């Protein structure tokens, strides 16, 4: 014999309200007194009641699923964003369906969006940190609730992003404030908006201090490319400070400097970006910039829900400020 869980009528009976009131609480209706809302929530928790997603979709006229399009990658930033989106959506009563693509180009993004639309998702979030995604996003159907994360700021699509420029400026300024006469930069790939923003912020900080920026050293986000750049930097006696576009690049730089006998931070100071969980355990513990991925996820979901509720889009923009995390990899230069 099948065992059924508690029904909405059971919640209503325990809370002492009608089943219509329970439904209004579940659907976030504003015309419910706070005391009543708390009583209903307490009854739901006590009974372990779980709303029927299909029935709720019929009542609200919308799905309770958010579609996410993301590149299939293990890079810390995109992976952290995806995890934060899933957690935030769950807190708002939504499930997340992820469409992973090998490449963020027009064909792949369009196909992933079509798959989501065929499953009648409520709206779509695209994590689009590379140039190749831009054209695809502009050509998507205009009536689809859509938000891009870390996308192209020059495109007329709703966007939530970390303030890459401000984070890079803070990292570079921290090194200048320690007394370094210039700061070298190991960048990420130039087709990534994150990388371009971090180059811009680094360059702005140096120009504002009246300094000519040295040529950036291109990397590919990996510790291996950081190691190769670090081997070159280690041979340059004039280098006293390095800002890397992510923490894995910093890890490679630190390894190369160690092998060449260039002590960090006594001879060369290093600052990264991302604050990966291991950054506090590098030797020395890495000063870095921490993006607030949870805040990006919350802002993205709220922007998407606003579109879903209003039925309108709009070229909205929201940037989330990162934070400088000071550890032990920066010191004044030797005189």
């Amino acid at each position: 014999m099948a065992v059924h869980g508690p029904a909405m009528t059971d919640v209503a009976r325990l809370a002492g309200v009608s089943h219509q009131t329970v439904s209004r609480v579940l659907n976030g209706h504003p015309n419910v007194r706070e005391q009543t809302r708390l009583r209903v929530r307490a009854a739901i928790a006590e009974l372990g009641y779980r709303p029927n997603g299909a029935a709720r979709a019929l009542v609200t006229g919308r799905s309770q699923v958010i579609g996410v399009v993301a590149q299939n990658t293990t890079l810390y930033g995109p992976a952290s964003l995806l995890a934060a989106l899933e957690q935030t959506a769950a807190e708002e009563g939504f499930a997340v369906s992820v469409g992973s693509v090998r490449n963020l180009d027009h064909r792949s993004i369009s196909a992933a969006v079509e798959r989501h639309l065929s499953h009648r998702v409520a709206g779509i979030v695209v994590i689009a940190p590379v140039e190749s995604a831009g054209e695809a996003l502009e050509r998507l159907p205009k009536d689809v609730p859509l938000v891009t994360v870390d996308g192209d700021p020059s495109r007329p699509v709703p966007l939530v992003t970390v303030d890459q420029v401000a984070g890079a400026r803070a990292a570079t300024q921290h090194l200048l404030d320690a007394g370094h006469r210039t700061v070298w930069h190991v960048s990420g790939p130039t087709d990534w908006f994150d990388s371009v923003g971090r180059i811009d912020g680094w360059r702005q900080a140096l120009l504002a201090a009246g300094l000519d920026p040295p040529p950036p050293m291109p990397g590919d986000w990996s510790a291996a490319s950081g190691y190769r750049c670090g081997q070159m930097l280690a041979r340059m006696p004039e280098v006293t400070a390095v800002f890397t576009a992510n923490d894995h690049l910093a890890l490679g730089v630190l390894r190369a400097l160690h092998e060449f006998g260039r002590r960090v931070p006594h001879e060369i100071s290093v600052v990264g970006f991302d604050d990966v969980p291991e950054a506090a355990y590098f030797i020395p513990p890495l000063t870095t910039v921490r993006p607030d991925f949870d805040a990006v996820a919350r802002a993205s979901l709220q922007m998407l829900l606003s579109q879903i509720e209003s039925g309108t889009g709009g070229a909205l923009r929201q940037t989330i400020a990162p934070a400088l995390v000071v550890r032990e990899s920066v010191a004044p230069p030797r005189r």
Side-chain angles (χ1 to χ4, degrees), residues 75-77 185-189 198 220-223 225-226 243-253 270-276 282 286 288-289:
L75 287 172
Y76 179 73
H185 181 49
V186 179
S187 75
R198 293 169 197 181
D220 64 6
W221 298 129
S222 70
S225 67
F243 163 51
T244 66
N246 78 348
D247 292 346
H248 289 100
L249 289 167
L251 178 61
V253 169
V270 179
V271 175
F273 203 113
D274 274 347
D275 195 26
V276 299
F282 288 4
L286 184 67
T288 185
V289 177

Side-chain angles (χ1 to χ4, degrees), residues 116-200:
H116 282 318
L117 294 179
S118 70
H119 291 94
R120 304 182 64 82
V121 296
I124 295 174
V125 176
V126 182
I127 302 175
V130 295
E131 289 179 358
S132 58
E135 181 185 357
L137 294 172
E138 280 195 23
R139 294 169 63 179
L140 292 178
K142 301 302 180 186
D143 59 343
V144 176
L146 173 74
V147 171
T148 60
V149 178
D150 278 353
D152 187 348
S154 69
R155 303 263 180 185
V157 292
L159 170 68
V160 179
T161 184
V162 172
D163 195 335
Q164 311 291 349
V165 174
R169 284 186 64 120
T172 307
Q173 191 61 51
H174 182 66
L175 290 162
L176 295 175
D177 288 344
H180 295 277
R181 295 180 178 177
T182 193
V183 177
W184 291 74
H185 181 49
V186 179
S187 75
T190 55
D191 62 338
W192 282 65
F193 302 117
D194 292 3
S195 179
V196 172
R198 293 169 197 181
I199 291 172
D200 287 347

Side-chain angles (χ1 to χ4, degrees), residues 254 257 262-270 283-284 328-330:
L254 291 172
L257 295 176
R262 302 289 300 274
R263 295 182 301 161
V264 178
H266 308 86
E267 297 176 59
I268 298 183
S269 293
V270 179
I283 299 175
E328 300 170 29
S329 61
V330 175

Side-chain angles (χ1 to χ4, degrees), residues 66-142:
I66 300 295
V68 175
V69 179
Q71 191 170 21
N72 187 11
T73 178
T74 58
L75 287 172
Y76 179 73
S80 298
L81 276 172
L82 180 57
L85 279 168
E86 290 180 313
Q87 178 62 37
T88 304
E91 292 169 0
E92 294 290 338
F94 285 83
V96 168
S97 173
V98 180
S100 296
V101 295
R102 186 180 298 274
N103 299 302
L104 286 169
D105 54 26
H106 172 62
R107 184 174 182 177
S108 301
I109 291 176
S110 297
V113 168
E114 285 300 322
R115 287 194 297 272
H116 282 318
L117 294 179
S118 70
H119 291 94
R120 304 182 64 82
V121 296
I124 295 174
V125 176
V126 182
I127 302 175
V130 295
E131 289 179 358
S132 58
E135 181 185 357
L137 294 172
E138 280 195 23
R139 294 169 63 179
L140 292 178
K142 301 302 180 186

